[in-house]
Amino acid sequence: MTALPRFTAHNGFSLPALGLGTYALWGDAGADAVTAAIGAGYRLIDTAFNYENEGSVGRGIAASGVDRGEIIVTSKLPGRHHSTAKAPTSIEESRSRLGVDAIDLHLIHWPNPSQGEYVQAWAALVEAQQRGVVRQIGVSNFLAEHLERIERETGVRPVVNQIEVHPYFPQSEQLAYHREHGIVTEAWSPIARADALLEEPVIAEVAAAHGISPAQAVLAWHVARQTVAIPKASSMEHQNANLAAGSVVLDPAEVEAITALGRPDGRLFDADPATHEES
């Protein structure tokens, strides 16, 4: 079982460098994939209200036989539930579907700035943490201005910001901001458009130098930059390969060369947090 590096937030909470993304892992097959991943050594499992699979994720965790205290399960509050009237119930429903006493890490999925209720959503998470419904709280897709506002208005800083990060969109400035403020960065879609990215010559060169696959080279790049990568993997082969990437150490020149693949149009889709609205 691979011993993964851990990255620590301002309050001492830490996450392993690699976790399991579960988007589109549904039903019995999804539950089985989660169980297999935990058996392989994953201890961070990521889901969301809007993935519509919290029940299967919860069943997979329960079936693993691993002590609940060893597993960090993450879920996310959807945009349509930001208001003070809706957020507390949404958080409790996620907990019920997961079948856990408390959700280890609960995030706001998107800030939805035009809706203007993300501070209400954050206040609801703060209150849920105080009640013991969730253990740690964070956000996803928040820009610095959103992070600063919620801390200014509630006095509570997130431990995690889960954002789009991959070699085509490396987010160096945002990562530096997170490090300065003790916020752990999680990377969604860490391998981007896998087919195109994994054919990049620089990634192939790094992979060959270490005797690993191009996908493992990209995940090792995330680890080197202290971002928690949460790739989805349903097969045991991919789960094990992804986990093994956590022990690969790239040198600074290799990290810089992969980072140089970044480009202004590197986002996977039109999802600028300054304007994107998630339902």
Side-chain angles (χ1 to χ4, degrees):
M1 190 175 294
T2 303
L4 294 172
R6 297 184 73 93
F7 305 136
T8 303
H10 57 84
N11 67 348
F13 174 66
S14 68
L15 290 175
L18 287 161
L20 179 74
T22 67
Y23 179 74
L25 295 182
W26 295 307
D28 292 346
D32 291 344
V34 170
T35 301
I38 294 170
Y42 286 84
R43 293 297 181 264
L44 172 62
I45 310 296
D46 182 88
T47 184
F49 190 105
N50 274 351
Y51 296 175
E52 299 182 336
N53 68 352
E54 289 170 315
S56 291
V57 168
R59 286 200 300 113
I61 291 170
S64 72
V66 172
D67 185 271
R68 177 70 186 87
E70 295 185 21
I71 299 169
I72 299 170
V73 60
T74 303
S75 196
K76 308 181 192 75
L77 182 71
R80 62 188 180 280
H81 295 164
H82 277 193
S83 71
T84 300
K86 294 180 179 179
T89 302
S90 180
I91 296 164
E92 291 165 1
E93 285 292 337
S94 286
R95 179 183 65 167
S96 295
R97 280 189 293 274
L98 285 162
V100 296
D101 293 334
I103 297 172
D104 302 292
L105 176 62
H106 211 107
L107 313 178
I108 299 174
H109 209 151
W110 288 84
N112 285 18
S114 68
Q115 179 177 302
E117 295 180 330
Y118 65 87
V119 176
Q120 292 181 46
W122 183 244
L125 280 177
V126 171
E127 191 269 342
Q129 185 181 36
Q130 292 170 345
R131 288 192 291 126
V133 176
V134 300
R135 295 192 173 94
Q136 301 288 339
I137 55 177
V139 295
S140 183
N141 301 299
F142 273 44
L143 300 175
E145 64 196 73
H146 306 136
L147 293 166
E148 290 167 2
R149 183 182 173 194
I150 60 174
E151 183 174 3
R152 183 173 64 249
E153 297 197 20
T154 68
V156 180
R157 181 181 301 174
V159 295
V160 164
N161 190 12
Q162 185 181 122
I163 59 176
E164 179 180 358
V165 183
H166 46 75
Y168 288 148
F169 196 61
Q171 297 251 53
S172 296
E173 290 185 9
Q174 183 87 6
L175 266 62
Y177 178 92
H178 290 171
R179 284 192 293 271
E180 181 182 352
H181 292 84
I183 299 170
V184 175
T185 304
E186 283 189 313
W188 58 261
S189 291
I191 306 179
R193 301 177 182 89
D195 292 342
L197 178 64
L198 301 185
E199 292 174 0
E200 292 284 354
V202 65
I203 290 176
E205 290 170 9
V206 171
H210 291 269
I212 57 178
S213 72
Q216 288 175 313
V218 174
L219 293 176
W221 171 81
H222 282 284
V223 175
R225 300 177 86 226
Q226 298 187 0
T227 64
V228 176
I230 46 171
K232 185 192 79 173
S234 56
S235 74
M236 289 192 66
E237 178 184 1
H238 286 156
Q239 289 176 358
N240 287 328
N242 291 346
L243 206 59
S247 62
V248 177
V249 179
L250 305 186
D251 67 44
E254 291 172 325
V255 175
E256 183 177 348
I258 294 175
T259 304
L261 292 171
R263 54 200 194 195
D265 64 346
R267 291 188 188 277
L268 293 180
F269 61 99
D270 185 20
D272 184 344
T275 57
H276 182 74
E277 295 291 310
E278 177 247 9
S279 62

